Amino acid sequence: MQSIGNSNAWGPSGQPQRIDNTTFTGTAQNAGNASYNMGINVQLPGQSGMTLNLNPSVSVN
């Protein structure tokens, strides 16, 4: 995973943060539905890669 974008769902703690090459950590804190951007880089060893950009949503009760 390359990135997780900002969203109203994340609340006062802000968007999830990268803690190492494979892990993001964060908490959805605001109730309701909100969308955010997420980027995923895909690459086979020794070959060119591609970036997949998604726009999922999160629902917090």
Side-chain angles (χ1 to χ4, degrees), residues 9-61:
W10 307 139
S13 66
Q15 71 195 63
Q17 298 296 308
R18 179 186 300 272
I19 60 172
D20 61 31
N21 286 337
T22 62
T23 308
F24 281 80
T25 186
T27 304
Q29 297 175 320
N30 286 336
N33 294 319
S35 63
Y36 60 97
N37 292 318
M38 179 171 43
I40 300 173
N41 286 345
V42 180
Q43 182 175 5
L44 294 173
Q47 298 183 21
S48 62
M50 64 177 246
T51 299
L52 175 62
N53 292 306
L54 304 172
N55 189 11
S57 64
V58 63
S59 180
V60 181
N61 296 326

